[in-house]
Amino acid sequence: MTDQQTPGAPWPPASGLPSRDRMKPAESLRWGETPFDDLGRAELLRLVQAYHLALASADSALRQVCLQDPANPFWEADGQGRRAMARADTLKTLVDGDSAEARMHIDRQFYRAAAGLLFPSLADPFHDWGVNDKGEWCAPNPGPDWGYRPVEWQDLLPESGAPK
């Protein structure tokens, strides 16, 4: 793994997750290697973003299921469901802290848009910014030409994000 982006790879990447052929095959790994060792900076960034988004989604689903049947041994302190939620909490706290407000801010600023870019094959109406009359996923465009415009990776960059 290198700190440099993959030669010839665009920054920001034009698409979400790195393709499977960019990963090291599991059967070829040696001690200390990971499937991600050959990925460039941009690919690693998108992969980490996708993992965090998937973790937040899985954690939300786990909590909803727990509320439906909290007496199930799966949700006891040493149950697999409770341990899975504790692992998710540990990782989310590293990024979000303990504040629900911080979690909502991160979701509004990044994951609301990134869900469609990181997982384009998984249509998710709860994370769409908007849909135009052609059915295309779009971001708000509050400038003089108010309306919607196609969402791009650049919308997620701090320097050139969507107009405020």
Side-chain angles (χ1 to χ4, degrees):
M1 182 175 76
T2 160
D3 221 17
Q4 304 297 319
Q5 68 184 41
T6 305
W11 182 259
S15 60
L17 299 175
S19 62
R20 188 177 198 153
D21 64 334
R22 295 283 301 130
M23 309 287 181
K24 282 186 175 180
E27 60 274 2
S28 72
L29 295 178
R30 293 185 177 157
W31 178 256
E33 292 183 331
T34 73
F36 320 113
D37 289 347
D38 293 337
L39 300 181
R41 180 176 180 262
E43 293 170 311
L44 284 171
L45 173 64
R46 295 298 181 233
L47 199 57
V48 168
Q49 291 166 336
Y51 276 126
H52 185 77
L53 177 58
L55 172 72
S57 297
D59 182 60
S60 176
L62 280 170
R63 290 180 187 287
Q64 289 177 20
V65 172
C66 178
L67 289 174
Q68 292 175 2
D69 187 13
N72 189 311
F74 187 73
W75 301 113
E76 291 177 1
D78 61 345
Q80 188 175 2
R82 183 65 63 188
R83 289 193 320 265
M85 283 197 306
R87 290 178 188 133
D89 284 345
T90 299
L91 292 176
K92 286 181 3 184
T93 300
L94 289 173
V95 176
D96 305 336
D98 293 322
S99 162
E101 183 178 327
R103 282 191 295 277
M104 287 304 296
H105 183 71
I106 288 172
D107 182 67
R108 280 192 308 272
Q109 296 300 319
F110 181 78
Y111 292 109
R112 174 177 59 178
L117 293 170
L118 292 167
F119 301 103
S121 63
L122 301 174
D124 187 348
F126 298 106
H127 288 91
D128 286 352
W129 274 359
V131 178
N132 65 15
D133 56 355
K134 298 175 189 168
E136 298 167 328
W137 185 61
C138 299
N141 187 22
D145 300 326
W146 192 88
Y148 289 95
R149 60 181 174 67
V151 173
E152 301 170 353
W153 278 113
Q154 292 212 322
D155 292 324
L156 308 179
L157 298 176
E159 303 85 34
S160 61
K164 294 180 174 62

